[in-house]
Amino acid sequence: MIKKGLELREFLEIEGGHNLSGTIEVSGAKNAALPNMAATILTEEEVILENLPMLLDVFTMKDLLRFIGFEIQKKDTGVYIFKQNTVNSLVAPYDLVSKMRASILVLGPMLSRFKYAKVALPGGCSIGTRPVDLHLKALEKMGAHIKVEHGYIIARAYNGLKGAEINFEKITVTGTENIMMAAVLAEGQTIINNAAKEPEVVDLAKMLKKMGADIQGEGTSRIIINGVKKLKGTNHKIIPDRIEAGTFAVLSALFDGNIIIKNYPNQYLKYVNKVFRKIGIHIIPIGENEVIVRREKNLRPVSIQTKEYPFFPTDLQAQFMTLLSIVKGVSKITENIFENRFMHVPELKRLGADIKVENRTAFIKGVKKLTGAEVKATDLRASAAMVLAGLIAEGKTRIYDIYHLDRGYENIDIKLKNLGAKIYRGVVEKEI
Ligand code: UD1
């Protein structure tokens, strides 16, 4: 029984330094699964999604769709049928949105299909303020009336959304996806300039086209959408997760390449593979979608700038920092996308890393080894960086607040155990 004033705090404990080997498989992409699930709102017909990763964020999106009135059935492992039965509610409530910012992805499709949507305002998050102003401005340009009151975005388009030319001041991934989903059922043509080019945006466009949407230019910075009256059901397989794949490649590099990575989406990781090569790490295809990682004897420090696709993803920055923390010399990582995404630095320092941060740049001076300590997971990707660090650190590392990790990595502890990692989950009581 938990005593009053206490709550349970889950942790992962890792005994570092054991060599890992074997095969590890990349799951479906979280950042493709979420928009594609939101897109099922655009039709009353059945949509089957395959290769859905079993992650907390995917569960939150399922809860959100059920709240709206969807029936979701499991057909097979990772295969789910989405069917809107009734319309219970056109509200995305705070308790779900606060668990996951990507809940904002239901705004575009809900407004476009039902002409009304009420979505809790995603608050700030650990990696920065992350506003949704660009989503809202674009929807207003398409004729929506938007009010923000009592913590909710209330959007109405009783006469339907109208096509418009949208010029995003900043590249936004979920913003591009939201507007694409709003535009497919809008009247007339929508042009999105300065659109995000991420593979997940392209995957969403692919699914929407199978549903009957008229979209051109996905994967470039100008997407043109001609609205259609209705969309139909479809069957769609989610692409592999390039961020999970990149995380596993770092893992493999740390263990000198005794790991085979299955479903490695090489085509989405060209830039990342180039950065690996500069460090002295080579990603070698050994079969269809399978790679092994080989590393040179002496690794080299490197300078990395995070930037929108096709460049280096902000979502791999923390994991590379773990790797660079044991590469001799001084490496530099500059974070250009989010203003506060170095919260893993103090945690890595607890493990013995030598890192200094000046403004948006971290200077990482390689040390000989890391040593186990108690740390916390500060956000999703930072938690992966902690796991990687714990696996190479001498002694035991205990990582608290691992719900962050479960938001985006499917069965990570099981996948790592299968490679021989000494890793287990536990809980402690914490005062509140
Ligand atoms: C998506 C990804 C996330 C990744 C990020 C950047 C999903 C579900 N999440 O997040 O994993 O880290 O892209 O690659 O796909 N911005 C504004 N106003 C807006 C929208 C964004 O100022 O209305 C700013 C953000 O604060 C940030 C930058 O634009 O500085 C890029 O953010 P964005 O691409 O929108 O990130 P997400 O789509 O939330």
Side-chain angles (χ1 to χ4, degrees):
M1 207 177 72
I2 313 170
K3 285 179 232 136
K4 221 172 160 199
L6 293 175
E7 70 175 11
L8 294 179
R9 193 175 186 198
E10 213 183 348
F11 64 81
L12 263 187
E13 193 157 279
I14 303 173
E15 199 183 286
H18 294 280
N19 206 13
L20 304 188
S21 63
T23 301
I24 193 161
E25 197 170 336
V26 176
S27 300
K30 168 180 94 69
N31 288 353
L34 298 175
N36 289 25
M37 287 169 80
T40 63
I41 296 175
L42 290 163
T43 178
E44 60 195 6
E45 293 182 21
E46 209 173 84
V47 176
I48 301 177
L49 290 179
E50 293 174 32
N51 203 28
L52 264 192
M54 292 301 102
L55 308 167
L56 281 187
D57 277 8
V58 166
F59 300 151
T60 303
M61 187 57 93
K62 275 194 196 158
D63 287 345
L64 200 46
L65 291 174
R66 285 201 182 101
F67 189 83
I68 294 170
F70 269 76
E71 194 186 316
I72 303 170
Q73 267 182 350
K74 182 173 174 179
K75 197 168 170 230
D76 206 340
T77 311
V79 184
Y80 285 80
I81 307 172
F82 295 79
K83 170 93 175 74
Q84 180 221 322
N85 265 352
T86 50
V87 183
N88 288 337
S89 164
L90 293 175
V91 180
Y94 177 70
D95 60 330
L96 293 175
V97 177
S98 63
K99 282 188 191 166
M100 178 182 75
R101 286 183 45 83
S103 308
I104 191 71
L105 283 165
V106 300
L107 177 63
M110 226 157 42
L111 182 61
S112 165
R113 172 132 179 258
F114 300 112
K115 304 183 176 13
Y116 178 88
K118 182 172 170 184
V119 178
L121 199 60
C125 77
S126 52
I127 61 174
T129 47
R130 293 182 85 175
V132 288
D133 56 318
L134 302 175
H135 302 230
L136 303 189
K137 258 198 230 167
L139 288 170
E140 277 176 337
K141 203 155 178 213
M142 295 177 75
H145 294 276
I146 297 181
K147 274 196 305 198
V148 178
E149 54 183 32
H150 307 300
Y152 275 85
I153 300 161
I154 301 168
R156 296 184 175 87
Y158 291 141
N159 295 323
L161 290 173
K162 309 271 182 284
E165 181 150 3
I166 309 296
N167 300 305
F168 278 126
E169 295 153 31
K170 256 189 184 180
I171 300 177
T172 159
V173 177
T174 49
T176 301
E177 291 163 346
N178 234 339
I179 299 313
M180 211 157 75
M181 290 188 278
V184 285
L185 289 180
E187 191 188 313
Q189 188 174 73
T190 299
I191 299 176
I192 308 176
N193 293 315
N194 205 22
K197 299 188 218 122
E198 268 66 4
E200 294 77 18
V201 173
V202 177
D203 195 46
L204 173 64
K206 193 172 162 192
M207 169 167 147
L208 291 170
K209 282 177 168 183
K210 286 196 270 180
M211 293 168 76
D214 178 352
I215 305 173
Q216 292 154 45
E218 68 276 16
T220 74
S221 55
R222 185 175 165 90
I223 303 178
I224 302 170
I225 302 141
N226 292 305
V228 296
K229 288 245 150 29
K230 224 174 152 90
L231 292 181
K232 56 181 192 285
T234 190
N235 195 327
H236 185 76
K237 186 171 175 189
I238 306 292
I239 54 171
D241 195 312
R242 64 195 163 97
I243 304 301
E244 190 194 21
T247 306
F248 292 164
V250 172
L251 172 80
S252 186
L254 291 169
F255 287 94
D256 207 7
N258 284 322
I259 298 167
I260 295 171
I261 309 171
K262 264 176 102 166
N263 295 336
Y264 189 86
N266 238 324
Q267 70 275 31
Y268 307 143
L269 286 160
K270 286 191 184 133
Y271 194 89
V272 171
N273 291 350
K274 214 162 78 184
V275 174
F276 270 129
R277 274 201 298 281
K278 277 194 188 156
I279 304 173
I281 291 164
H282 303 270
I283 311 291
I284 303 165
I286 52 163
E288 214 184 312
N289 303 327
E290 273 183 24
V291 298
I292 48 164
V293 179
R294 288 277 170 257
R295 80 183 220 190
E296 293 171 28
K297 193 154 173 271
N298 295 313
L299 297 183
R300 298 174 286 276
V302 77
S303 187
I304 297 174
Q305 298 264 348
T306 65
K307 203 167 180 316
E308 296 86 355
Y309 192 83
F311 300 104
F312 193 89
T314 171
D315 286 354
L316 276 175
Q317 178 253 102
Q319 300 88 315
F320 268 70
M321 199 176 290
T322 297
L323 171 66
L324 295 172
S325 71
I326 54 153
V327 172
K328 195 172 167 197
V330 179
S331 294
K332 269 194 331 189
I333 297 182
T334 303
E335 172 54 54
N336 294 311
I337 308 290
F338 294 111
E339 73 270 26
N340 186 25
R341 209 174 194 181
F342 280 142
M343 283 178 330
H344 44 282
V345 170
E347 306 304 312
L348 279 173
K349 283 167 90 168
R350 292 178 60 77
L351 298 170
D354 183 350
I355 307 170
K356 262 199 315 222
V357 175
E358 278 172 27
N359 304 318
R360 284 177 167 240
T361 302
F363 296 85
I364 307 126
K365 189 169 171 200
V367 293
K368 284 220 163 62
K369 62 170 192 208
L370 299 179
T371 45
E374 287 188 320
V375 291
K376 62 176 192 270
T378 49
D379 74 53
L380 167 52
R381 305 303 168 185
S383 58
M386 289 307 127
V387 171
L388 295 170
L391 289 166
I392 51 164
E394 197 178 88
K396 275 190 184 156
T397 295
R398 187 180 270 202
I399 309 166
Y400 290 103
D401 300 340
I402 52 156
Y403 58 90
H404 287 295
L405 189 67
D406 296 327
R407 281 191 41 219
Y409 287 88
E410 184 178 49
N411 294 330
I412 184 74
D413 41 339
I414 299 171
K415 287 186 182 182
L416 291 171
K417 263 191 188 138
N418 287 341
L419 297 177
K422 303 274 181 270
I423 180 168
Y424 74 90
R425 275 174 196 256
V427 278
V428 285
E429 287 177 343
K430 119 175 155 181
E431 278 182 34
I432 43 175

